[in-house]
Amino acid sequence: MSLEFNQVVEQVQTMGRYLAHRANDAGTKLERALEWFYAATDLDAVHDRIKLVRESSVSGYRGAAPLPRPYDEIICGVGDRPAAPELAIVTASDGSQIYPDPHSFAQYYLINVSSFVYYYGETRVPLQATKPNLYYSENDTLDRDGRLVTNQTVNARRSLMEVQRLAELAWELRSEGVPLVAMHDGGLLKFFGGTEVAGAHEIERDYMKALEKLHDAGALLIGYLDVPRSKYLVSLLHLLNLAPEQVNDANLKTNGEIEGLTDDQIYSLVLQSGERSALMVQNSPQNREYKDRGAQYEIASFYLNVSHTATRSSIARIDVPMWVAQNKGAVAAIHALIMEQCAIQGRRHYPYALTRADELAYVSSVEKSQLDELIRVAMRRADLEPEESNKLQTKGLARSHKRQHRLKV
């Protein structure tokens, strides 16, 4: 059976009406949020409110907070685009994977990590490299209970390897004497816990070691989030507009009148091309743990309109460790170099170095098939007969002769 589109049409029309209603509701909430945003000019009042949720019995606040004095910035402040340094090095790392398949003829997974080095202001040719890592031993593919490791475990190990590669590059380039930006695709505040990630404690330990190496190398580490959906600012605005007696865990479970909004919705109306928001930190137990390992490892962030046109905003969230956030020159260099990187690709408002790293790391379905064939050959040479599970074989039979029909429009 194929999808019965005649049964879906009415549901799609209802969906359209729902989306229109939601857009109208969001417009009203945005007006209120902007009113509160531009009123947040008193940093002392903001610090007092954050102190209240940190030192009282209130424990459920997960929104934004200013940086510690004297590095704090006015919440509604906006930073203009600075001039880029004459010379700089931008590095990026990314990863791709083939997940373990319980129905495959062989239990394995693969992580392919790439790196890209871009020399800004110089004629040196960029450096690029990839390193595929194939995991097939039981120590790697099974958890402590003998079950095949989850996709979440593979993702966590890939994220670790990406940051470790950045740390290696930073150490190799530490004597260049120019700003050294290390770009990671995604946030820097990692959550490796949970029962679905095998060896989470060891992964977290090694991740922190990589951050320490980046710090020691003097790298300007950033985590780049292309489509941020965070609500740190929204939660802060809600907190600031509660009466003192209303500040409790029950009232902090939602964002009240502006529930449903995201930070990028607000900043798309606030930030012009090339402008950044104030630097803030996320108030959370996890970020507190990073800080407890060393004040320089607490994670801060700012939002940046990376669009180069005045007609359409493109809001990215930039995560930085505190050793970067507390250095105004470093923040300015990052701000400017991200804009330079995003300009290279024209309408694609995304850093060029991260794009190249992603392209290098990508493993296609064709390459996966070729790898499977190599593994089959290796198994036959070892007098083993590779065979898929019964389920996988019957799927192939059921789908092998299915025809695709196109809709006429």
Side-chain angles (χ1 to χ4, degrees):
M1 292 291 292
S2 58
L3 181 61
E4 296 287 347
F5 278 95
N6 61 317
Q7 297 185 39
V8 179
V9 171
E10 185 176 346
Q11 298 175 58
V12 171
Q13 292 172 346
T14 303
M15 176 183 174
R17 291 191 293 270
Y18 164 76
L19 292 175
H21 173 76
R22 191 176 69 173
N24 291 333
D25 185 47
T28 302
K29 292 179 179 180
L30 275 171
E31 290 180 4
R32 178 56 58 89
L34 288 171
E35 176 187 340
W36 290 353
F37 175 78
Y38 287 116
T41 58
D42 187 348
L43 266 176
D44 289 336
V46 177
H47 279 292
D48 288 343
R49 185 54 58 95
I50 295 299
K51 183 178 180 181
L52 177 62
V53 296
R54 284 177 173 172
E55 296 184 358
S56 68
S57 60
V58 180
S59 60
Y61 178 66
R62 298 293 181 269
L67 265 62
R69 295 184 178 95
Y71 307 104
D72 51 348
E73 299 177 333
I74 295 175
I75 301 304
C76 59
V78 170
D80 294 329
R81 177 179 179 176
E86 292 185 4
L87 299 174
I89 298 176
V90 177
T91 67
S93 180
D94 203 2
S96 183
Q97 68 287 311
I98 297 175
Y99 291 117
D101 183 353
H103 305 294
S104 177
F105 63 90
Q107 299 303 313
Y108 78 91
Y109 65 91
L110 178 131
I111 297 176
N112 191 38
V113 177
S114 69
S115 59
F116 187 77
V117 180
Y118 184 92
Y119 298 96
Y120 179 79
E122 298 185 64
T123 57
R124 279 196 277 181
V125 176
L127 301 178
Q128 59 187 43
T130 59
K131 185 179 180 181
N133 299 272
L134 184 66
Y135 299 92
Y136 49 85
S137 73
E138 292 184 353
N139 289 336
D140 293 320
T141 60
L142 302 180
D143 63 17
R144 292 180 179 177
D145 298 320
R147 298 171 300 189
L148 192 64
V149 295
T150 62
N151 291 358
Q152 291 87 339
T153 297
V154 176
N155 289 341
R157 292 174 180 176
R158 186 202 67 236
S159 292
L160 169 62
M161 293 170 68
E162 292 168 0
V163 177
Q164 286 177 325
R165 181 56 186 142
L166 285 176
E168 292 169 359
L169 285 171
W171 196 253
E172 294 169 4
L173 298 167
R174 68 188 185 280
S175 60
E176 288 280 343
V178 298
L180 173 60
V181 177
M183 289 189 172
H184 173 64
D185 183 22
L188 296 181
L189 198 58
K190 302 292 187 183
F191 180 71
F192 296 121
T195 57
E196 295 183 338
V197 177
H201 177 74
E202 291 78 9
I203 294 173
E204 183 176 352
R205 177 201 62 202
D206 292 343
Y207 178 73
M208 294 306 300
K209 287 183 178 179
L211 293 189
E212 292 172 4
K213 190 170 184 177
L214 283 156
H215 180 210
D216 292 343
L220 308 183
L221 175 64
I222 73 166
Y224 190 93
L225 291 95
D226 182 42
V227 186
R229 289 291 179 262
S230 42
K231 303 177 181 180
Y232 306 148
L233 172 69
V234 174
S235 296
L236 176 60
L237 295 178
H238 170 60
L239 173 66
L240 295 177
N241 285 276
L242 291 173
E245 64 274 10
Q246 295 177 312
V247 179
N248 54 55
D249 286 330
N251 286 330
L252 294 175
K253 287 182 178 180
T254 69
N255 288 321
E257 294 180 57
I258 55 176
E259 173 66 24
L261 294 183
T262 56
D263 295 350
D264 63 297
Q265 288 178 292
I266 297 175
Y267 283 122
S268 66
L269 300 175
V270 171
L271 300 176
Q272 300 300 311
S273 172
E275 291 181 341
R276 75 165 177 88
S277 72
L279 273 157
M280 289 180 275
V281 298
Q282 181 195 1
N283 190 78
S284 69
Q286 186 184 10
N287 210 7
R288 179 70 186 185
E289 289 180 8
Y290 277 46
K291 183 179 180 180
D292 288 343
R293 293 173 182 266
Q296 298 300 312
Y297 300 106
E298 185 178 16
I299 304 301
S301 62
F302 63 89
Y303 292 85
L304 177 61
N305 185 354
V306 296
S307 173
H308 285 74
T309 66
T311 57
R312 186 176 180 181
S313 296
S314 182
I315 305 299
R317 196 186 90 208
I318 314 300
D319 282 4
V320 293
M322 196 61 73
W323 82 74
V324 175
Q326 294 180 347
N327 184 331
K328 290 185 178 180
V331 173
I334 286 173
H335 182 171
L337 289 168
I338 290 175
M339 293 303 299
E340 294 285 338
Q341 283 280 302
C342 289
I344 294 175
Q345 302 187 91
R347 294 184 178 181
R348 289 191 64 188
H349 306 306
Y350 193 75
Y352 175 68
L354 280 176
T355 298
R356 291 293 295 121
D358 173 75
E359 292 171 348
L360 291 166
Y362 176 67
V363 179
S364 69
S365 58
V366 173
E367 290 169 325
K368 180 186 183 304
S369 297
Q370 292 171 338
L371 175 60
D372 284 342
E373 187 58 33
L374 285 175
I375 294 174
R376 286 190 181 94
V377 171
M379 291 178 68
R380 290 190 181 105
R381 287 176 176 171
D383 296 326
L384 298 171
E385 186 60 35
E387 184 176 345
E388 283 88 2
S389 70
N390 291 329
K391 179 178 180 179
L392 198 61
Q393 292 183 51
T394 55
K395 278 186 176 182
L397 288 172
R399 296 173 181 172
S400 60
H401 300 295
K402 182 175 284 189
R403 294 176 60 191
Q404 287 190 335
H405 299 271
R406 301 293 181 184
L407 290 173
K408 292 183 178 181
V409 295

